[in-house]
Each structure stands twice: as structure tokens, then as C-alpha cells.
Amino acid sequence: MNASFGSVIRSILLAAGLAISSLSIAQQGTAQSPTPQKVESVNILDVGRSSNATTQAAVEAGKNQPGNNAPIWRMVNSDEVHYTSLPGAENGVLIQKTGQEWRLIRNGVITVYGAWLLTLALCGVVAMYIFKGTIKLHEPMSGRKIQRFTLLERITHWTMAFTFVALAFTGIMILWGKYFLLPLTGPAFFGTFLLVCKNVHNFVGPAFTVSIVVFFILFVRRNLPEKGDMAWALGFGGLISGKHIPAGFFNFGEKFWFWVGMVILGSAVSASGWVLDMIVPFIQIEYWRGTMQIANIIHGVGAILMTALALGHIYIGTIGMQGSIDAMKTGYCDETWAKEHHELWYKKLGKG
């Protein structure tokens, strides 16, 4: 009985010890356990958007929503320069985001509004010819000739004229050809034709620039402002009223074409064209994609404006006015024509 009583006492003591140990362990676990954290959700599409987003976050996003590569493409389209072993200044940028902006300007603003501008200019010339016709001299030709241009001046003018026509035609094909020519010819012919236009455009461009420089040197003195220019401008040369307005060697309209059409727009088109051809001399230029896109926009806008002005100049210099092209063909003009259209110059020659 004593043995049984001792066994009971030992069992009670062991159970009490185990209870006390369990209670102590439980209290320690409660003291060490952290306060439960509030779980916040995150938009998987925002992963990779912020500048402090981690690579691990992107990895977790891939696990939670496999197939969602929006964060990757946002990073690719960020214009951020990354590492590449390929040679080249801009190969670290896989997608140039500003290239999309250039494409929208080139194919939207320039193409659409440029086409409307040239259409309106052409319609204006046609309307002028229909309602006004060729402007005739008030007196018959006298048969007496006066030298107006030298051989060098005429060669320079015609070089500039023919190169401009070639550039305008090929430029129109490059910019708008796919809209009206491609559906008619098909891609095989159109691709070959456009390649020819591109090469003609690139090689004729420098000759056009040289002709502009020479033409400027030859004619700048005769295109300076002088007496009678303001009266000619206010009366629009008498084209609408038919009233005679005296002018010097060049009238205000010709001077406007010289300074705005040839010097300003011609220089802008030539300079941007040399950048696009990557042949700019004497100046160190980094031909980045952004540089080429800006040059292309300047080139397109300048060329369209210059072509619109040139339509009026070509019309007046050919079928729009009687005898106007004679001096540029032969170097001589009739006395009647000189007196009627450039009376101030005619009097300076001692003829009037």
C-alpha cells in the first residue's frame, strides 16, 4: 500500500511540473509573438511603374499574375538607357518613346495639313488663270530688246529651278505616294520607284543648296528694299485692280519670294536635308534619332511652304503674265514689258 501511495504522489508531482512548464512556455510564446500586421493589396499593373519598384516585386507579380508583361513593356518604353553589348550610341534604348510622337507629327500634322495647303495653293493658281487669264501688256511689243540677265544668272536660276522641281516631285512621292500611287501600281513597282525617288532626292539636294548660295550672291543687292515696294505691296502689284504700279528691277512680290521662299525656307530645307543625308561639313553633329526626327519635321514643313509659294512664282513667271519668261530664256526683255512691269528700273537705264 505504501508503494501504491508513493506512485500516486509521484504521478501528481510529475503532472504538476508538466503543467507549470507548459504554462511558462505559453507565456514566453505570447510575449515574443509580433502584433499582426495589416495586409494591404497592391494593383499588379502598378508593379514596375514607380521609380522605386524592385525587381523582386516584378518577380512576385509574375507569380501572382503570369502572362502579364505590362511592367516589362513600360520599362522598355521608358527611354531609359540599359546595357547592351552591341556597338552603337543608342542601342541601349530598345524603344524610343519620342519616335511615336514624331510619327504622329509626320503622318498627321505634316501629311494632312500639308496636303490641304498645297491643294489650296494649286486651286488658287487655277482659279486665277480661269478668272483672270494671262495678264496681257497694255501696249504691243516694241521689238526693241533690253538685257536683263547675264548667262551666269540664267544658268544659276535654271539649275535652281530644275533641281527644285526634281526635289518637289520626289518629295511628294515619298510623303504621299503610298496614298494614291501604291494602290494603282502595287507594292513591287512602288517600292522600286520610291527607292529611285529617294536616291534622286538625296543626290540632287546638295546641287539645289549650291544653286541657292550662288543665286543669293548674284541677286541679293537687287532684292534690297527700295522706293515703290510698299506701294506695290499695298496694291498687290495691280493684279486685281489692273492699276499700273511702278517697280524697280524686282517688284515686291519677287523680293518676297527671294527672302522668304528662297533664303529663309530654302536655307531651312537645305540645312535639314544635309542633316538627314548626314553630310554636314565643318560641324561636328551627333546624328541621334531625335536629331534626325527634328530635322525631318523642319524639312517637311519648310519644303511644303516653299512649294506652295513656288506655285505662285512659277505661274506668274510662265503662263500667268505675257513676256515674263522671255528674259530668263534669252537674257533680254522687250522695252514695252520693261516699262510696264519694272518702270523704275527702265527709267534708271535712261530709257524713260
Side-chain angles (χ1 to χ4, degrees), residues 289-330:
R289 281 177 287 188
T291 303
M292 306 302 280
Q293 289 159 4
I294 294 174
N296 181 264
I297 292 174
I298 295 174
H299 194 75
V301 173
I304 290 173
L305 293 175
M306 189 176 185
T307 303
L309 290 177
L311 288 175
H313 176 74
I314 294 171
Y315 169 73
I316 294 297
T318 54
I319 62 175
M321 183 175 292
Q322 180 186 2
S324 59
I325 198 174
D326 294 343
M328 196 51 73
K329 288 196 306 183
T330 65

Side-chain angles (χ1 to χ4, degrees), residues 211-251:
S211 67
I212 284 182
V213 173
V214 177
F215 194 89
F216 176 82
I217 295 173
L218 293 176
F219 290 100
V220 62
R221 184 176 58 85
R222 281 174 279 187
N223 279 279
L224 296 176
E226 59 183 347
K227 180 182 178 181
D229 288 342
M230 186 57 65
W232 196 99
L234 295 176
F236 203 63
L239 292 178
I240 299 177
S241 64
K243 180 181 178 181
H244 173 66
I245 302 178
F249 189 92
F250 288 127
N251 57 45

Side-chain angles (χ1 to χ4, degrees), residues 63 124 260 277 319:
K63 293 179 180 178
V260 177
D277 281 346
I319 62 175

Side-chain angles (χ1 to χ4, degrees), residues 46-58 71 75:
D46 290 333
V47 176
R49 181 187 300 274
S50 60
S51 58
N52 59 351
T54 63
T55 305
Q56 184 61 30
M75 185 181 299

Side-chain angles (χ1 to χ4, degrees), residues 45-95:
L45 295 178
D46 290 333
V47 176
R49 181 187 300 274
S50 60
S51 58
N52 59 351
T54 63
T55 305
Q56 184 61 30
V59 173
E60 293 299 326
K63 293 179 180 178
N64 297 331
Q65 199 174 53
N68 175 29
N69 56 2
I72 298 176
W73 286 110
R74 275 195 292 269
M75 185 181 299
V76 170
N77 198 38
S78 65
D79 274 346
E80 182 180 352
V81 180
H82 298 276
Y83 169 77
T84 177
S85 60
L86 297 175
E90 296 181 281
N91 288 342
V93 179
L94 185 59
I95 295 179

